[in-house]
Amino acid sequence: MNYYIRRFAQAIVTFVVGMFITFALYRLVPGGPVEAIIADRVQQMQQRGQPVDTQEVGDMAEQLTGINPDTPIPIAFYEWLRDIILYQDFGESILFQDPVFDILFRGMPWSIFLSVYGLLLGFTATIAVGVFMAWHEGTKIDSGLTVFVLVMRSIPYYVAAIVMLSVLAFQWGLFPTGGRAPPAATPGFNVEYMVGIARHAALPILSNFIVGFAGGAIGMRALSVRVIGEDYLRSARLRGLGTNRILTRYLTRNSILPIYTGFMLGIAGMFSSNVITEVIFQYHGVGWFMLEAAVSQDYPLVMAAFVFFSSITVTAILIADFTYGLIDPRAGTGASRESF
Amino acid sequence: MSENEPRSDGGVTQESIFGTDEEVERRRTPPAERARRAFDFYIATPFRVAWSDWRTRIGGVGVLFYLLMGTVGVWLVPPPQINEGPYYLQPFVDWSMPLGTDNLGRGVFKTLVHSTPAMMKMALAGIVFSIGIAVLVGMIAGYKGGVVDTVLMTIADVFITLPGLPLIIVLAAIFSPQDPFIVGTIIAIDQWPGLARMLRSQVLSLREEDFVEAARSIGLSTPTIVGQELVPKVAPFVLVSAAGAAVAVIFQSVALYFIGVLPFNSFNWGVMMQLAYQQGNAISAPGRAGHWMLFPLLAISGVSFSLILFSQGLDRVFNPRLLARHSETVPEDEQDGAGDL
């Protein structure tokens, strides 16, 4: 129990330290958001031939970003964090002129939708293909699939996304070319809207599926090959158990253990790579908003999106650590080692 | 296996407290013979093992091709010029412009070749940065243990917690980097913690091995033990990870250039794709500008395929059992036991 409390505290500390580093970087680096906005306004005023009032422009930039350059960074960070935790107040987006929390909250379900389906499909395929390859180890099926998996891994997921978008959506018109839902349909539980969502999400999920699939199959194969050599598998076969039972209960279940942690980390990675997918498909989730904000120096929105991604990563890793002992009883919780 | 032959696990004894037969033997062997053995052991044998595996063969040739393209190719192919051909010329039509031209009449092939050095610089910076920090942190944390381990791993945990791509996007927005070396370093920032953790866990199991305990008990210093006993054991893993880091840097940099987060003032494959998408509408109208985007895509897939194949095959180069079988200087009767150290 002590381990769980310590691990939980560690997760919170890492999260806060990570946020602080990013927050401080944003402040310290020359050409940060406040200066960028000031420079932008000064240039605009000079073009119009207006007299430049530095004080006034500075005040305006402060109001837009919510940054007061005179506040020391630790205090500013404390205030920023306090507003988030107590009031869910991330500030107001410069680009969209809306509270940041509302923008992200609207985008969140869509991002989670894409990532979760892509990841589940990808990992199922990884496990199935890996075990299948191990079962047919050394045959033509094995080497053929190995080459296939290697080729799949060499193709970046966004390449697959681009090709699918160009061919399936633009050329053949099988899928919509972008967006989250058909604009004509009324949101809600009606057939038209639901089918529309599924059609819009199909290609992004498919390219996320490729992200999840490519990495693990070879590793899964190696793990399964090792399990196949174990004695209990041979005795299971000698006992006359059916192939299906051996494959599912004995082989797959035991070879999944080591990649379980990878699965939890994969959730975090999936949300990250989802940023690129969302941009390519113009799918307005958290990633799309983050990118728009980053390009136009919308500092409050970028930081808030970053908080969103970080909290998903921290939670995923924490859950992986907490549950691994339950899944594999042989793994202890933090062994003690001598130091030299 | 006797002491006076080159050892097949790649371990080299350099620091010795007691005089061994090895020194006597070494004095008796003529320098030319020693050089030949060293060449056979360190260069020729790994190369033979590498060549015998189809993965390394194809991957190695691929990697070499890209390296030549980025060095000799740049020197052979003249840089692209605006208006040197018609706009949006299709590929394989005019053989002076083999891959067609872009919206300003620049040859796609020439741009492709002149983009390679930028990609190589990014990959190199990424490898040096991520592998360097990972080796330093992972080895020290794993070997020293205790407080040092806790502190270093906590730092690594903080960086693992920061989501990779969003962090890079934030950093890119803050710094607006243009120099390929800095871009590569920023992109590799999420690579090292995972590697450091894996190296640490390898060192954790190695430090309990007999030969490390023996080295410690005869009083060798920590740097000597880490440098001479541990580094050769984890070198294969480091090399394979370096190839992985290069692939990751290339993937992500191209993605970031493509979606327009990174500013640019020179060409690379991601920039080409970005321009093809923004100015040529290559995705919605591939008939006109499709080739402008397709060839950089192929170049990226090709380089990552070569690197992944090469690193898969490299695993075998470092397998001591295989090394002994291909070596000319290890006698036949000793090859059975090779690798059982």
Side-chain angles (χ1 to χ4, degrees):
Chain A
M1 200 58 220
N2 194 10
Y3 167 76
Y4 291 102
I5 295 168
R6 219 177 56 229
R7 189 63 193 77
F8 188 69
Q10 197 193 352
I12 290 178
V13 170
T14 46
F15 180 73
V16 172
V17 171
M19 287 299 110
F20 181 72
I21 292 173
T22 330
F23 189 85
L25 264 181
Y26 236 131
R27 288 294 180 84
L28 289 173
V29 168
V34 177
E35 281 172 40
I37 288 173
I38 291 176
D40 201 39
R41 291 296 154 121
V42 167
Q43 202 188 358
Q44 268 183 20
M45 289 174 129
Q46 277 168 344
Q47 274 171 356
R48 282 192 221 128
Q50 289 170 343
V52 177
D53 183 356
T54 332
Q55 181 63 36
E56 193 188 324
V57 174
D59 287 348
M60 197 176 53
E62 261 175 52
Q63 241 182 0
L64 274 175
T65 53
I67 295 174
N68 182 359
D70 300 330
T71 324
I73 291 172
I75 295 176
F77 178 69
Y78 163 73
E79 284 172 355
W80 179 73
L81 207 62
R82 184 196 60 197
D83 285 352
I84 290 175
I85 294 169
L86 293 184
Y87 315 111
Q88 290 83 46
D89 176 17
F90 289 89
E92 191 161 303
S93 161
I94 302 166
L95 182 64
F96 298 99
Q97 308 279 335
D98 251 341
V100 166
F101 184 75
D102 295 350
I103 296 175
L104 288 188
F105 201 71
R106 283 199 302 265
M108 247 178 252
W110 301 93
S111 292
I112 294 171
F113 174 54
L114 289 193
S115 304
V116 167
Y117 274 90
L119 194 72
L120 284 181
L121 286 173
F123 260 87
T124 316
T126 300
I127 291 166
V129 171
V131 170
F132 187 75
M133 274 156 69
W135 194 249
H136 295 277
E137 195 209 344
T139 62
K140 281 229 170 71
I141 300 175
D142 182 23
S143 38
L145 272 175
T146 307
V147 174
F148 173 71
V149 169
L150 280 179
V151 172
M152 288 283 284
R153 215 183 129 185
S154 325
I155 300 174
Y157 56 94
Y158 50 83
V159 171
I162 290 169
V163 172
M164 284 193 298
L165 183 63
S166 182
V167 175
L168 296 181
F170 278 106
Q171 297 303 298
W172 296 352
L174 294 178
F175 293 99
T177 55
R180 309 188 293 205
T186 41
F189 283 100
N190 54 63
V191 178
E192 191 193 358
Y193 189 66
M194 287 298 159
V195 172
I197 287 179
R199 273 167 49 90
H200 277 81
L203 289 184
I205 287 179
L206 208 60
S207 48
N208 276 348
F209 161 75
I210 293 169
V211 186
F213 169 69
I218 301 255
M220 186 66 198
R221 174 186 173 277
L223 292 167
S224 312
V225 165
R226 203 173 301 162
V227 174
I228 285 179
E230 298 278 346
D231 287 341
Y232 61 80
L233 212 84
R234 206 169 58 194
S235 67
R237 220 175 291 164
L238 289 175
R239 273 160 57 205
L241 296 182
T243 312
N244 276 336
R245 196 179 167 81
I246 293 180
L247 269 178
T248 50
R249 289 291 180 82
Y250 285 73
L251 181 55
T252 311
R253 228 171 134 171
N254 282 299
S255 21
I256 281 178
L257 290 177
I259 69 163
Y260 174 72
T261 323
F263 176 77
M264 296 308 287
L265 282 175
I267 293 180
M270 177 64 73
F271 273 93
S272 291
S273 50
N274 205 12
V275 176
I276 310 268
T277 317
E278 282 177 12
V279 173
I280 291 175
F281 289 102
Q282 293 293 309
Y283 201 92
H284 294 201
V286 179
W288 185 84
F289 282 114
M290 178 177 195
L291 203 93
E292 290 290 303
V295 171
S296 49
Q297 294 272 355
D298 186 350
Y299 154 83
L301 188 51
V302 172
M303 279 307 285
F306 192 65
V307 170
F308 168 73
F309 287 112
S310 302
S311 42
I312 285 181
T313 325
V314 175
T315 318
I317 294 177
L318 197 65
I319 293 175
D321 274 8
F322 279 0
T323 50
Y324 193 74
L326 297 177
I327 284 182
D328 187 358
R330 287 168 300 182
T333 49
S336 60
R337 274 183 310 270
E338 83 179 297
S339 153
F340 39 78
Chain B
M1 178 170 174
S2 66
E3 280 298 310
N4 53 8
E5 292 292 349
R7 278 200 274 158
S8 53
D9 63 344
V12 187
T13 327
Q14 282 170 13
E15 188 175 325
S16 55
I17 287 185
F18 311 106
T20 56
D21 293 347
E22 205 169 337
E23 283 166 34
V24 183
E25 171 76 15
R26 199 178 286 163
R27 249 177 266 128
R28 243 185 283 142
T29 326
E33 170 65 13
R34 280 218 302 273
R36 199 187 70 79
R37 270 189 207 168
F39 174 79
D40 179 59
F41 190 75
Y42 289 108
I43 296 163
T45 307
F47 184 77
R48 260 199 303 278
V49 179
W51 194 254
S52 71
D53 189 277
W54 67 271
R55 284 169 298 197
T56 350
R57 203 158 52 212
I58 297 175
V61 169
V63 172
L64 197 69
F65 171 75
Y66 279 96
L67 286 180
L68 286 177
M69 186 160 129
T71 49
V72 185
V74 178
W75 181 65
L76 283 178
V77 178
Q81 303 282 329
I82 291 174
N83 283 331
E84 61 184 343
Y87 300 159
Y88 293 118
L89 180 70
Q90 289 303 302
F92 314 123
V93 177
D94 177 1
W95 285 104
S96 63
M97 305 273 159
L99 301 184
T101 56
D102 62 11
N103 64 334
L104 296 175
R106 288 172 293 208
V108 170
F109 175 72
K110 290 177 180 174
T111 322
L112 210 57
V113 171
H114 281 268
S115 301
T116 325
M119 304 304 295
M120 278 163 56
K121 283 178 195 164
M122 273 191 269
L124 184 73
I127 289 175
V128 170
F129 177 74
S130 61
I131 302 289
I133 295 190
V135 168
L136 212 65
V137 170
M139 302 285 282
I140 293 177
Y143 186 74
K144 290 299 276 188
V147 181
V148 179
D149 183 23
T150 315
V151 170
L152 287 178
M153 281 305 114
T154 311
I155 295 174
D157 277 344
V158 171
F159 276 89
I160 286 184
T161 309
L162 298 177
L165 198 60
L167 175 67
I168 294 166
I169 291 175
V170 170
L171 289 179
I174 297 176
F175 290 108
S176 303
Q178 297 203 340
D179 184 2
F181 286 114
I182 299 176
V183 174
T185 310
I186 288 184
I187 289 172
I189 220 164
D190 69 326
Q191 297 287 320
W192 74 265
L195 280 176
R197 269 205 166 280
M198 281 192 265
L199 269 172
R200 169 179 170 271
S201 64
Q202 292 210 343
V203 173
L204 275 183
S205 59
L206 277 176
R207 82 209 270 261
E208 310 293 341
E209 298 270 341
D210 291 344
F211 63 90
V212 179
E213 207 177 325
R216 206 166 44 242
S217 62
I218 59 173
L220 297 187
S221 61
T222 304
T224 314
I225 297 177
V226 172
Q228 286 182 22
E229 305 289 343
L230 298 184
V231 166
K233 290 276 190 283
V234 295
F237 174 76
V238 169
L239 214 71
V240 172
S241 319
V247 172
V249 168
I250 291 172
F251 269 28
Q252 293 206 334
S253 71
V254 170
L256 292 181
Y257 277 113
F258 174 63
I259 60 179
V261 189
L262 290 170
F264 55 86
N265 56 9
S266 64
F267 276 110
N268 69 51
W269 300 333
V271 172
M272 289 175 76
M273 286 168 58
Q274 214 263 332
L275 291 176
Y277 171 55
Q278 289 283 345
Q279 297 179 6
N281 288 321
I283 291 185
S284 51
R288 192 171 61 128
H291 64 280
W292 189 9
M293 180 173 272
L294 182 70
F295 290 111
L297 282 185
L298 288 178
I300 297 152
S301 304
V303 75
S304 58
F305 185 65
S306 314
L307 277 168
I308 288 172
L309 266 188
F310 189 60
S311 64
Q312 291 258 329
L314 270 187
D315 263 342
R316 285 167 55 100
V317 178
F318 294 101
N319 188 333
R321 211 178 286 269
L322 274 169
L323 267 188
R325 206 187 302 152
H326 283 82
S327 180
E328 283 172 355
T329 48
V330 179
E332 283 289 324
D333 55 316
E334 280 184 16
Q335 290 186 4
D336 295 337
D340 293 351
L341 195 83

